[in-house]
């Protein structure tokens, strides 16, 4: 009711659930683990892309992760949490370090790939409790966006991309307003 990714509701037009679900979690353990990953991974992505693009990447990869989950589960899925967005940030870093190779980048990419292998193993062990499709969708979206979204280097500053944070913020606010209106109306 509060905005989880619920396949049948999305297919009936509640598309805002693809965004609100990113910010909802099942319990304190769930939000705790996601917060730790965000604290570990987020600053590196924000350093490369700036705050506005970071938030844009976070929201878009999370939403695209839920889109993949929706189709993977034949429109019947239920999911919530930031994991798809977090895997999206990992994908951005993997894509960035592939696009701009360096020895430091290879080290970071290697650590992220090991982290992803652990996550896949956990996903297999706890299948049914973890939305592996949203994880995969977020990861793939992140890698792709690393090739599309320019970093915040001096050459890319003050571009239209700097406005993407406002766009993402507007989409999040609108999505939660839609969730509120939906809960008051039904």
């Amino acid at each position: 009711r509060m905005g989880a990714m619920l396949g049948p509701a999305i297919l009936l037009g509640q598309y805002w659930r693809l965004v609100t679900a990113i910010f909802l979690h099942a319990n304190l353990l769930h939000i705790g683990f996601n917060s730790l990953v965000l604290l570990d991974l987020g600053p590196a992505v924000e350093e490369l892309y700036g705050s506005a693009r970071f938030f844009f990447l976070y929201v878009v990869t999370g939403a695209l992760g839920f889109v993949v989950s929706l189709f993977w589960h034949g429109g019947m899925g239920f999911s919530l949490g930031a994991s798809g967005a977090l895997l999206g940030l990992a994908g951005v870093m993997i894509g960035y370090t592939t696009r701009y190779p360096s020895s430091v980048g290879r080290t970071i990419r290697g650590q992220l790939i090991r982290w992803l292998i652990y996550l896949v193993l956990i996903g297999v062990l706890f299948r049914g409790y973890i939305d592996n499709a949203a994880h995969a969708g977020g990861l793939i979206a992140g890698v792709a966006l690393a090739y599309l979204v320019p970093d915040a280097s001096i050459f890319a500053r003050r571009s239209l991309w700097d406005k993407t944070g406002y766009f993402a913020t507007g989409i999040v606010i609108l999505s939660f307003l839609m969730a509120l209106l939906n809960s008051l109306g039904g």
Side-chain angles (χ1 to χ4, degrees):
R1 255 175 48 200
M2 295 180 67
M5 193 289 292
L6 181 63
I10 293 170
L11 294 177
L12 290 174
Q14 295 182 8
Y15 304 114
W16 45 267
R17 289 177 176 273
L18 297 169
V19 174
T20 55
I22 300 166
F23 300 95
L24 301 174
H25 290 79
N27 53 44
L28 290 176
L29 186 63
H30 187 202
I31 198 168
F33 276 122
N34 281 344
S35 295
L36 287 173
V37 173
L38 182 59
L39 285 170
D40 194 37
L41 189 56
V45 178
E46 188 174 15
E47 176 79 19
L48 287 172
Y49 286 92
S51 298
R53 293 173 219 195
F54 166 82
F55 190 62
F56 173 80
L57 292 165
Y58 183 83
V59 172
V60 170
T61 58
L64 289 174
F66 284 130
V67 168
V68 169
S69 177
L70 177 70
F71 286 105
W72 183 266
H73 295 104
M76 298 306 295
F78 170 81
S79 186
L80 67 155
S83 300
L86 296 171
L87 269 287
L89 296 180
V92 166
M93 289 301 290
I94 290 169
Y96 184 89
T97 58
T98 303
R99 185 176 179 191
Y100 302 106
S102 70
S103 61
V104 172
R106 280 190 295 280
T107 301
I108 292 169
R109 190 171 53 252
Q111 290 172 338
L112 286 170
I113 290 171
R114 280 190 297 282
W115 182 69
L116 292 173
I117 291 168
Y118 301 143
L119 190 59
V120 167
L121 293 173
I122 291 168
V124 169
L125 290 173
F126 294 99
R127 195 175 52 180
Y129 296 100
I130 294 177
D131 191 346
N132 293 310
H135 287 183
L139 179 69
I140 293 166
V143 171
L145 286 171
Y147 285 88
L148 297 174
V149 177
D151 64 24
S153 69
I154 194 164
F155 302 110
R157 290 189 192 274
R158 297 195 178 121
S159 72
L160 184 60
W161 284 103
D162 291 327
K163 308 294 185 247
T164 59
Y166 295 119
F167 175 74
T169 301
I171 293 296
V172 170
I173 291 169
L174 181 62
S175 295
F176 275 102
L177 284 174
M178 296 294 291
L180 178 64
L181 291 173
N182 184 68
S183 68
L184 293 175

